């Protein structure tokens, strides 16, 4: 039986929130844990961190279409619960790590379990009417926002007592989340809407072939991929950059991410519900893209720590982009293919994260090192800004095609 929409959204929101708090807790201390296990400098630790994110993204890229297809076949609930348990196991493995290899193994397990976000997105699509999808997809951003208010702040505080305590706390939250979902999370996909599992479609190449056939959304997907690569400059180097550039402590890194989380929660949990109905998904997406491009450029040229806090306001307004474009794409896809679409989009996120972290962390490491032709630690942020500008051009063309076909 399809659950009532409001309670179902509350259930999946809380599930995501607990998961993201666990993810946020480890971010402020990860650079120091890498240094502890490798003895590397901050620049070299950034390279290791970039490859660690590459391992996470590569596994998610391989498994997201499979998990999405399985959720279309067996329902969202069982797949989501397995993924949540995998997150808990990942953090426990990382907490007990005695060698950098174990950190990589934990990140690879997290990449497989990361499909919980794919299934949660499909869950929201199941229970949302077409006109509410963009707004309800914003709940994911709101969960990220609140999770990144609580998680990094708690991680920064706990990190002062030891680099491993945040990982134990994240593991506990992961297992708690599994128990919460088991008792309170209802199924969202009706049996009559399920479809057989198809290996040809449940692999990255098959998913991209299916995307290529859908001319109305493939341009938007390409633009999103570029945006995802661009924001990896923040996700993969923020802790390393601020620790190195401004001499921040782990606690200050946590506070900065907490501020970012608050801003994301305001934008995707509240502002998008005002802006999108009034301006439409198309205009909202353009506003978000322009804010991303501007915010990243401002980060690149910041020369004082307080600027990073101020410029986050502009950057986080970019959060209008994802839910708006996801809503447009979701409305172009049949109900029994929502899981596949969200798996495909998660595959794009993972593909961009395969490319982004090594690229951005190496840009930071090189341009902050002794052999750089120009000292420019913000090179990754500036590169991200250029990529978003390119995506704006692609989105303009894609929207013209999409709305032309919609009027036919």
């Amino acid at each position: 039986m399809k659950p009532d929409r409001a309670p179902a959204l509350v259930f999946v929101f809380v599930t995501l929130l607990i998961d993201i708090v666990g993810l946020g807790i480890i971010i402020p201390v990860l650079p120091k844990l890498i240094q502890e296990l490798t003895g590397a400098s901050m620049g070299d630790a950034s390279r290791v961190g970039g490859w660690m994110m590459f391992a996470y993204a590569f596994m998610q890229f391989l498994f997201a279409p499979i998990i999405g297809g399985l959720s279309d076949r067996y329902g969202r609930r069982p797949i989501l619960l397995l993924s949540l348990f995998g997150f808990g196991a990942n953090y426990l493995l990382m907490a007990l790590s005695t060698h950098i290899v174990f950190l990589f193994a934990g990140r690879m397990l997290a990449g497989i379990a990361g499909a919980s976000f794919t299934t949660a997105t499909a869950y929201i699509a199941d229970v949302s009417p077409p006109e509410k999808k963009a707004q309800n997809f914003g709940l994911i951003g709101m969960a990220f926002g609140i999770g990144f208010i609580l998680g990094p702040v708690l991680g920064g505080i706990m990190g002062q007592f030891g680099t491993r305590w945040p990982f134990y706390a994240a593991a506990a939250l992961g297992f708690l989340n599994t128990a919460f979902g088991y008792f309170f999370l209802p199924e969202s996909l009706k049996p009559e809407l399920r479809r057989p599992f198809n290996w040809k479609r449940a692999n990255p190449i098959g998913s991209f072939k299916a995307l290529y056939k859908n001319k109305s959304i493939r341009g938007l997907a390409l633009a999103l991929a570029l945006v995802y690569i661009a924001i990896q400059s923040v996700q993969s180097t923020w802790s390393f950059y601020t620790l190195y550039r401004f001499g921040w402590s782990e606690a200050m890194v946590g506070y900065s991410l907490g501020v970012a989380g608050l801003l994301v929660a305001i934008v995707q949990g509240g502002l998008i519900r005002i802006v999108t109905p009034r301006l439409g998904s198309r205009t909202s997406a353009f506003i978000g893209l322009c804010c991303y491009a501007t915010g990243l450029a401002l980060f690149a040229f910041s020369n004082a720590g307080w600027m990073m806090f101020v410029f986050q306001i502009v950057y986080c307004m970019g959060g209008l982009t994802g839910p708006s474009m996801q809503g447009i794409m979701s409305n172009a896809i049949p109900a029994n293919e929502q899981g596949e679409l969200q798996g495909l989009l998660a595959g794009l996120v993972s593909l961009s994260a395969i490319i982004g972290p090594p690229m951005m962390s190496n840009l930071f490491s090189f341009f902050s090192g002794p052999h750089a032709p120009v000292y420019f630690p913000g090179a990754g942020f500036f590169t991200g800004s250029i990529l978003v500008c390119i995506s704006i051009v692609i989105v303009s063309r894609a929207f013209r095609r999409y709305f032309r076909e919609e009027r036919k």
Side-chain angles (χ1 to χ4, degrees):
M1 182 178 295
K2 193 171 186 175
D4 293 335
R5 286 170 181 162
L9 289 173
V10 171
F11 287 139
V12 77
F13 174 78
V14 173
T15 300
L16 282 172
L17 176 61
I18 296 174
D19 214 21
I20 294 160
V21 169
L23 175 64
I25 280 177
I26 72 170
I27 293 177
V29 296
L30 187 59
K32 290 296 179 68
L33 182 57
I34 293 174
Q35 287 187 302
E36 179 183 310
L37 294 176
T38 63
S41 66
M42 187 60 71
D44 289 336
S46 173
R47 292 177 189 267
V48 174
W51 286 111
M52 198 173 292
M53 292 187 71
F54 168 89
Y56 171 90
F58 184 71
M59 298 306 292
Q60 192 173 62
F61 174 69
L62 292 179
F63 281 89
I66 297 175
I67 298 300
L70 288 173
S71 76
D72 283 340
R73 172 64 183 88
Y74 297 105
R76 316 301 185 202
R77 185 175 183 274
I79 304 303
L80 187 56
L81 292 179
L82 287 172
S83 297
L84 295 176
F85 182 82
F87 266 119
N90 147 64
Y91 294 130
L92 184 59
L93 176 61
M94 295 182 75
L96 298 172
S97 294
T98 56
H99 193 277
I100 193 68
V101 171
F102 292 107
L103 286 188
F104 273 93
R107 287 288 79 194
M108 292 173 72
L109 177 59
I112 298 172
S116 63
F117 297 111
T118 302
T119 310
T121 307
Y123 191 108
I124 292 173
D126 292 339
V127 299
S128 302
E131 69 276 7
K132 294 288 187 181
K133 282 184 178 178
Q135 297 176 50
N136 290 342
F137 282 139
L139 289 174
I140 299 175
M142 185 178 180
F144 266 95
I146 297 175
F148 273 103
I149 295 170
L150 301 175
V153 172
L154 292 173
I157 294 172
M158 285 189 290
Q160 299 179 73
F161 301 98
T163 55
R164 302 188 184 250
W165 281 104
F167 291 89
Y168 284 117
L173 284 174
F175 294 131
L176 176 66
N177 204 6
T178 305
F180 173 84
Y182 181 82
F183 288 107
F184 296 105
L185 191 68
E187 180 56 67
S188 65
L189 187 63
K190 293 180 179 180
E192 60 269 24
L193 292 178
R194 300 178 188 182
R195 63 183 178 87
F197 181 79
N198 187 330
W199 276 106
K200 290 183 178 180
R201 302 178 72 168
N203 66 79
I205 305 303
S207 294
F208 285 123
K209 285 182 178 178
L211 173 65
Y212 184 80
K213 293 178 181 178
N214 194 323
K215 296 181 180 180
S216 62
I217 66 171
R218 66 188 183 194
L220 298 180
L222 174 60
L224 272 178
L226 290 177
V227 171
Y228 293 148
I229 293 173
I231 63 179
Q232 286 296 331
S233 61
V234 175
Q235 296 176 3
S236 61
T237 66
W238 182 273
S239 297
F240 298 95
Y241 178 82
T242 53
L243 286 166
Y244 169 80
R245 184 77 170 86
F246 308 116
W248 284 3
S249 65
E250 291 90 340
M252 183 59 73
V253 173
Y255 297 147
S256 71
L257 292 172
V259 171
L262 176 61
L263 293 171
V264 170
I266 292 172
V267 171
Q268 296 200 351
L271 188 61
I272 194 171
R273 295 177 176 271
I274 300 173
V275 173
T276 301
R278 293 185 180 182
L279 302 181
S281 295
R282 182 179 181 180
T283 302
S284 298
F286 275 119
I287 292 174
L289 288 168
C290 291
C291 288
Y292 268 147
T294 304
L296 287 168
L298 291 172
F299 287 154
F301 294 99
S302 297
N303 55 22
W306 64 265
M307 292 182 177
M308 302 298 283
F309 284 90
V310 174
F311 296 156
Q312 280 181 341
I313 298 173
V314 179
Y315 173 78
C316 290
M317 284 288 292
L320 294 170
T321 304
S324 299
M325 293 177 65
Q326 273 188 303
I328 293 171
M329 296 170 73
S330 179
N331 287 336
I333 296 296
N336 64 348
E337 295 181 10
Q338 291 295 327
E340 183 180 56
L341 171 65
Q342 302 308 329
L344 184 146
L345 292 177
L348 285 177
V349 174
S350 301
L351 183 61
S352 64
I354 289 171
I355 300 169
M359 179 173 72
M360 300 304 180
S361 62
N362 275 279
L363 283 170
F364 164 67
S365 181
F366 178 73
F367 281 97
S368 62
H371 302 296
V374 178
Y375 179 75
F376 188 27
F381 297 134
F382 187 68
T383 302
S385 180
I386 294 173
L387 291 175
V388 176
C389 289
I390 295 172
S391 75
I392 292 173
V393 176
I394 296 173
V395 166
S396 299
R397 296 179 178 178
F399 275 158
R400 283 198 296 269
R401 180 183 298 110
Y402 175 84
F403 287 103
R404 185 169 58 247
E405 293 179 0
E406 190 180 52
R407 288 193 293 267
K408 290 181 180 179

